[in-house]
């Protein structure tokens, strides 16, 4: 899709598209919708050619799917495949785009800030650098449920002051749900403290402690790759993770992508930004329903959609076109 083509699309006033990050992958993703729409396999073929290995085979067999360096390009490609199906069906151009962690790259490709080929190469490298930044077993992540954001931050600071290593808030997902990341021993200590207060703490099955200071070495190397990648400002505003706002220029965009590796994902503020700007419909463009399920519990969100099957795609298409006044 060219910028001109996107500009020709009907523009939504109430709809945002959000793109999921790591953790939404599943074996066999998009198999059903690929049977109905050639855009899915075409997109996977294009991305596979760029990175030099078969992303569709990984997605369907699961072999190597949970290795970060594979997970990231597969998920990005799946999201863009669904985005292209949406456009082929005559879907509106959303008012905003946003992506959770890795999903920010999907949003930028959808907004034509970078090509799919460049993006899959970037996130493949991103996954490798993240994996190599911290030895296996040294880092960890966990979800803390039921505590206010500031209480989670205070717990992390308390634990970090009394031991070697670090633990930080990594993802502010929704009210009462914060993911922490850092040195495994300290992550476990925060979990124990939260449980002592009667709250829930769930260890996440990840091999990389994302969005914390342990990722700074990876960010330094990744910044070099970003500088060598052709990037433009997106033609649909992309709300970025680190500051919950759209970049004013390309340098700011690159800087935010670099910082995203070691700073927390401000997803709660991102969704608040969308709501403050009139968004009442949110479509999750990627495998699964993680982001749409989080958003459906929020006030003033009329409906959320997942797009990863034909029936879900058609439901979203019809409902949003009516809501946006594009069809009666």
């Amino acid at each position: 899709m060219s910028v001109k083509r996107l500009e020709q699309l009907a523009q939504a006033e109430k709809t945002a598209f959000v793109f999921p990050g790591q953790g939404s992958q599943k074996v066999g993703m998009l198999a059903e919708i690929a049977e109905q729409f050639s855009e899915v396999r075409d997109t996977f073929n294009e991305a596979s050619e760029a990175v030099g290995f078969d992303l569709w085979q990984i997605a369907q067999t699961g072999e190597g799917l949970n290795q970060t360096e594979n997970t990231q390009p597969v998920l990005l490609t799946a999201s863009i495949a669904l985005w292209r199906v949406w456009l082929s069906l005559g879907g509106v151009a959303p008012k905003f785009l946003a992506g959770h962690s890795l999903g920010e790259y999907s949003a930028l490709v959808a907004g034509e800030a970078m090509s799919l080929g460049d993006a899959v190469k970037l996130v493949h490298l991103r996954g490798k650098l993240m994996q190599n930044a911290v030895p296996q077993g040294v880092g960890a992540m966990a979800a803390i449920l039921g505590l206010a954001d500031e209480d989670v931050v205070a717990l992390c600071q308390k634990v970090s002051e009394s031991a070697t290593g670090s633990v930080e808030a990594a993802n502010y997902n929704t009210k009462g749900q914060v993911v922490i990341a850092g040195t495994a021993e300290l992550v476990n200590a925060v979990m124990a403290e939260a449980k002592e207060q009667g709250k829930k703490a769930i260890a996440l099955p990840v091999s990389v402690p994302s969005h914390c200071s342990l990722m700074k070495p990876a960010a330094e190397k990744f910044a070099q790759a970003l500088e060598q990648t052709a990037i433009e400002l997106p033609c649909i505003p992309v709300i970025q993770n680190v500051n919950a706002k759209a970049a004013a220029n390309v340098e700011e965009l690159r800087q935010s992508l670099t910082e995203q590796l070691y700073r927390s994902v401000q997803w709660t503020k991102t969704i608040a930004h969308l709501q403050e700007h009139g968004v009442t419909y949110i479509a999750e463009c990627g495998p699964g329903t993680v982001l749409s399920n989080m958003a459906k519990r929020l006030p003033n969100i009329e409906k959320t959609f997942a797009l990863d099957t034909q029936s879900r795609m058609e439901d979203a298409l019809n409902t949003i076109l009516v809501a946006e006044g594009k069809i009666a």
Side-chain angles (χ1 to χ4, degrees):
M1 303 292 292
S2 67
V3 173
K4 183 178 180 182
R5 173 73 181 98
L6 268 183
E7 289 175 344
Q8 289 173 343
L9 291 176
Q11 184 72 45
E13 293 298 326
K14 307 174 185 177
T15 304
F17 267 47
V18 295
F19 298 82
Q22 207 160 325
S24 289
Q25 70 274 14
K26 56 184 176 182
V27 179
M29 66 180 89
L30 273 56
E32 182 259 3
I33 201 167
E35 293 178 1
Q36 305 299 323
F37 301 102
S38 61
E39 288 86 359
V40 175
R41 290 300 302 271
D42 290 346
T43 302
F44 269 88
N45 289 340
E46 179 185 338
S48 296
E49 186 175 343
V51 292
F53 55 94
D54 193 337
L55 296 171
W56 182 253
Q57 182 180 22
I58 293 171
Q60 299 311 303
T61 66
E63 187 176 346
L65 179 59
N66 290 325
Q67 294 173 14
T68 300
E69 63 192 73
N70 295 331
T71 312
Q72 298 199 14
V74 168
L75 271 176
L76 184 149
T77 304
S79 292
I80 295 306
L82 292 172
W83 169 250
R84 289 176 174 179
V85 171
W86 172 262
L87 296 181
S88 76
L89 292 174
V92 294
K95 187 174 185 178
F96 294 102
L97 302 167
H100 191 286
S101 187
L102 163 72
E104 188 169 319
Y105 291 84
S106 304
L108 289 168
V109 174
E112 296 174 342
M114 64 178 76
S115 71
L116 173 62
D118 284 345
V120 290
K121 286 186 281 191
L122 266 182
V123 300
H124 179 51
L125 173 63
R126 181 178 182 267
K128 279 185 175 181
L129 292 173
M130 290 170 70
Q131 193 71 64
N132 294 335
V134 180
Q136 190 78 21
V138 171
M141 299 183 76
I144 308 299
L145 308 176
L147 280 176
D149 293 355
E150 57 270 23
D151 293 333
V152 175
V153 171
L155 264 185
C156 289
Q157 291 173 342
K158 174 186 173 184
V159 167
S160 296
E161 287 169 0
S162 60
T164 302
S166 63
V167 59
E168 301 154 51
N171 302 341
Y172 295 96
N173 285 335
T174 62
K175 184 178 180 180
Q177 184 193 123
V178 179
V179 171
I180 61 171
T183 312
E185 181 183 349
L186 274 63
V187 169
N188 291 334
V190 172
M191 291 175 66
E193 291 255 9
K195 288 176 180 177
E196 282 183 13
Q197 296 182 26
K199 309 303 180 184
K200 289 183 70 174
I202 304 168
L204 301 183
V206 297
S207 58
V208 173
S210 304
H211 308 296
C212 71
S213 56
L214 295 179
M215 287 295 113
K216 281 191 175 181
E220 291 171 5
K221 295 176 182 176
F222 188 63
Q224 298 172 16
L226 277 172
E227 282 299 326
Q228 296 167 8
T229 301
I231 300 177
E232 302 175 5
L233 281 181
C235 52
I236 299 173
V238 173
I239 309 307
Q240 294 199 272
N241 284 184
V242 298
N243 52 21
K245 66 179 185 178
N249 53 61
V250 171
E251 275 312 302
E252 186 179 309
L253 194 158
R254 290 184 202 270
Q255 184 63 30
S256 294
L257 290 175
T258 300
E259 293 179 7
Q260 191 221 56
L261 277 168
Y262 61 87
R263 288 180 56 187
S264 54
V265 173
Q266 299 290 340
W267 194 248
T268 307
K269 291 181 179 179
T270 295
I271 297 299
H273 179 101
L274 299 180
Q275 291 177 284
E276 288 163 8
H277 288 79
V279 167
T280 56
Y281 293 86
I282 291 179
E284 179 171 5
C285 193
T289 59
V290 172
L291 300 180
S292 49
N293 283 342
M294 286 197 298
K296 71 171 56 172
R297 297 191 292 267
L298 297 174
N300 304 319
I301 296 298
E302 293 186 32
K303 194 165 184 182
T304 65
F305 307 89
L307 304 179
D308 58 348
T309 67
Q310 183 177 3
S311 61
R312 287 173 170 174
M313 179 74 73
E314 290 173 349
D315 174 48
L317 185 74
N318 293 333
T319 304
I320 289 172
L321 286 176
V322 170
E324 295 287 354
K326 309 308 178 186
I327 59 174

